[in-house]
Amino acid sequence: MLECIVTKFGGSSLANDEQFRKVRSILELEPSRRYLVPSAPGKRFAEDDKVTDLLYLCHSLASEGKSFRDQFLKIRDRYLSIAQGLHLEIDIAAHLDEVEQGIASGKGRDWCASRGEYLCALLMADYLGWRFVDAAEGIVFHDDGTLNPDKTSEKLAAVLSDRQPAVVPGFYGAKENGEICTFSRGGSDITGALVADAVHADVYENWTDVSGFLMADPRVIDSPAEISSITYKELRELSHMGASVLHEDAMFPVHRAGIPTNIRNTNKPYHPGTMISKNAPNELSVPTITGIAGRKGYSVISVEKSMMNSEVGFGRKVLQVLENYGISFEHMPTGIDSMCVVVQSEAFELHRVEILREIETLVENKGSVSVNDNLSIIATVGRGMVHNCGTAARLFKAMSRARINVRMIDQGSSELSIIVGVNDSDFESTIHAIYHEFVE
Ligand code: ASP
């Protein structure tokens, strides 16, 4: 029996009064769902506004001395219609007035943006009859605007210690001087994870508008299979390569605490979604691969130097050049007297000439430096690959059947993923070839 579940509902799950009703029935299905972290109301239809975007707009208009009345009216209407649709008693109009005055009086950008979650949580707490706990009382930021995880754990655990059902607005917290700070966009996921950690939840449920993760990007593969179970490490590999449902920083607190995260669909409450855990639960059979994700737009810097192999510290010096320009490298396959460093083209482009000049100085006329652009990197990820013979053979055979030239290969000893580099023009066909080899 689960004792305590923390739920987080995304913006589309809270876009109108009908969505609020769905949220309440989801909570009623399972009494262990005792904490709720809401985002701000999102889009009701494709061309609709997200409340957070409107708040940012109001703040920037106000700071330019322009009228933000029309934009604020849209925000006001949204909250009033939810309150009316649910017959709530809370005087949300008075809270909206305070927010409007705050924006007009020059409150900071983060304060303005955070009010979307704040107002939404007030409505939800009233609707459910639960306690409202302001995130500013439990989520602590350093003066530089980054999260203070230790203080947050301590304070959040203290304000939620009575274990009474509570609604805690997502996306923001406060510095010790009381100034409101927000996470980056999508940051309510982080608040949910922090609350789950603080109350030692059995599960962190993240309710959104999709039924979990898919094995590949649906823009590339038609109706890809769903992932029912994945580990945090696998997910980290996939999300680094572009697969995103959850804010990347939301994984750390729950992963560390060993709390599984369950991605669920508010519009399909009985669908089990995707379960993300530290170690996948006892599985009868593990699929060979869990998912495929990739990105275009990488460059490979190839460095050759005779006797590089015996020159201690050469690799470090090359990486130091990149570090000096604030560029992180993605992969670094090496040969005896050669090394390749894969970087994101966008960042590299800014200092391309200087970087190449400095690396050429290190080569000292004993070799060459060249760059190949338009590289895509595709990661095939799966805990089922460990100790499993033939996975790489199958993957490369599938690529060769599709006549795809492999430009780079990288596989760590953890055997969690096989990374291939191909021309950008082969990006889609590579994902098709691998997916159809392993999945269908
Ligand atoms: N409302 C914020 C955003 O739109 C945070 C969130 O939804 O998680 O980014």
Side-chain angles (χ1 to χ4, degrees):
M1 237 281 285
L2 297 179
E3 280 180 13
C4 175
I5 300 174
V6 170
T7 62
K8 178 262 167 180
F9 286 86
S12 56
S13 305
L14 299 159
N16 57 22
D17 55 321
E18 193 194 328
Q19 293 299 85
F20 268 61
R21 285 197 193 87
K22 287 186 195 169
V23 170
R24 183 153 87 177
S25 46
I26 287 168
L27 298 174
E28 284 168 357
L29 281 175
E30 173 57 83
S32 320
R33 294 181 174 132
R34 284 200 272 136
Y35 298 94
L36 187 151
V37 174
S39 285
K43 294 185 181 199
R44 294 159 290 187
F45 42 88
E47 311 75 48
D48 198 13
D49 297 300
K50 286 183 175 186
V51 164
T52 310
D53 291 333
L54 292 171
L55 286 162
Y56 278 124
L57 188 56
C58 288
H59 170 263
S60 75
L61 289 169
S63 50
E64 289 165 21
K66 296 185 183 150
S67 164
F68 62 92
R69 212 178 144 266
D70 292 349
Q71 305 304 334
F72 197 80
L73 211 54
K74 291 189 201 165
I75 299 173
R76 187 178 284 279
D77 285 350
R78 185 73 84 87
Y79 286 98
L80 289 178
S81 89
I82 296 173
Q84 279 155 13
L86 301 173
H87 311 291
L88 301 184
E89 288 185 358
I90 181 174
D91 186 1
I92 198 71
H95 290 285
L96 283 156
D97 290 344
E98 271 172 34
V99 173
E100 189 170 8
Q101 279 154 21
I103 299 173
S105 71
K107 288 271 200 185
R109 187 170 186 267
D110 283 8
W111 182 89
C112 297
S114 72
R115 297 304 90 184
E117 273 69 10
Y118 173 81
L119 293 167
C120 192
L122 285 175
L123 288 184
M124 186 55 89
D126 195 60
Y127 180 48
L128 299 175
W130 287 11
R131 198 160 61 104
F132 168 86
V133 174
D134 194 344
E137 287 168 29
I139 309 252
V140 188
F141 282 79
H142 291 294
D143 285 341
D144 66 1
T146 56
L147 178 74
N148 182 335
D150 298 333
K151 278 260 162 63
T152 296
S153 282
E154 198 182 293
K155 273 189 108 178
L156 210 46
V159 287
L160 300 173
S161 62
D162 63 4
R163 311 284 281 176
Q164 289 306 306
V167 181
V168 184
F171 192 37
Y172 73 94
K175 294 181 184 170
E176 299 218 60
N177 67 6
E179 185 188 329
I180 297 290
C181 266
T182 60
F183 294 112
S184 58
R185 296 298 303 265
S188 299
D189 286 344
I190 308 172
T191 313
L194 293 168
V195 171
D197 180 23
V199 301
H200 306 296
D202 297 294
V203 181
Y204 168 34
E205 288 181 346
N206 192 296
W207 291 82
T208 172
D209 52 6
V210 292
S211 301
F213 286 95
L214 298 172
M215 288 192 75
D217 187 338
R219 287 167 299 186
V220 179
I221 300 287
D222 228 11
S223 319
E226 291 163 352
I227 301 177
S228 56
S229 158
I230 187 168
T231 65
Y232 282 108
K233 280 192 183 154
E234 288 175 302
L235 182 59
R236 172 103 183 88
E237 300 251 349
L238 288 174
S239 36
H240 180 65
M241 295 312 296
S244 65
V245 170
L246 194 63
H247 194 298
E248 269 202 49
D249 296 344
M251 281 180 248
F252 185 65
V254 269
H255 183 186
R256 188 192 48 191
I259 300 168
T261 299
N262 190 190
I263 308 289
R264 301 287 292 262
N265 188 345
T266 304
N267 303 315
K268 291 189 188 158
Y270 293 100
H271 191 293
T274 299
M275 188 61 95
I276 313 161
S277 44
K278 199 163 185 166
N279 303 305
N282 307 324
E283 296 159 306
L284 290 175
S285 68
V286 186
T288 311
I289 71 164
T290 304
I292 309 165
R295 277 183 200 267
K296 291 184 177 177
Y298 290 91
S299 299
V300 191
I301 310 170
S302 305
V303 187
E304 284 190 29
K305 184 176 183 188
S306 55
M307 307 304 285
M308 183 193 289
N309 183 34
S310 53
E311 186 179 334
V312 176
F314 182 79
R316 179 188 52 75
K317 288 180 202 153
V318 171
L319 295 182
Q320 184 71 54
V321 174
L322 293 172
E323 186 181 339
N324 293 346
Y325 289 96
I327 294 177
S328 70
F329 74 94
E330 299 282 324
H331 298 280
M332 198 178 57
T334 53
I336 307 287
D337 288 331
S338 67
M339 63 187 283
C340 292
V341 189
V342 180
V343 292
Q344 290 189 7
S345 309
E346 207 184 339
F348 173 57
E349 215 37 62
L350 298 173
H351 303 286
R352 186 183 186 106
V353 177
E354 302 91 306
I355 290 173
L356 293 181
R357 196 186 310 121
E358 290 183 31
I359 298 179
E360 268 156 19
T361 318
L362 297 174
V363 171
E364 301 166 343
N365 297 327
K366 289 185 195 150
S368 63
V369 183
S370 59
V371 180
N372 277 299
D373 296 309
N374 306 321
L375 182 83
S376 286
I377 296 188
I378 292 154
T380 303
V381 177
R383 59 191 180 281
M385 293 196 292
V386 184
H387 311 309
N388 199 341
C389 294
T391 312
R394 281 175 70 189
L395 187 145
F396 291 115
K397 218 183 249 165
M399 286 179 70
S400 104
R401 268 199 305 270
R403 307 209 147 278
I404 299 161
N405 177 33
V406 181
R407 288 181 48 195
M408 189 203 78
I409 305 170
D410 202 353
Q411 185 190 22
S413 54
S414 66
E415 290 185 67
L416 197 62
S417 62
I418 298 175
I419 315 274
V420 291
V422 297
N423 288 330
D424 278 345
S425 55
D426 287 330
F427 177 77
E428 282 82 6
S429 42
T430 304
I431 294 182
H432 272 274
I434 300 173
Y435 184 83
H436 293 298
E437 171 63 31
F438 290 100
V439 188
E440 54 185 50

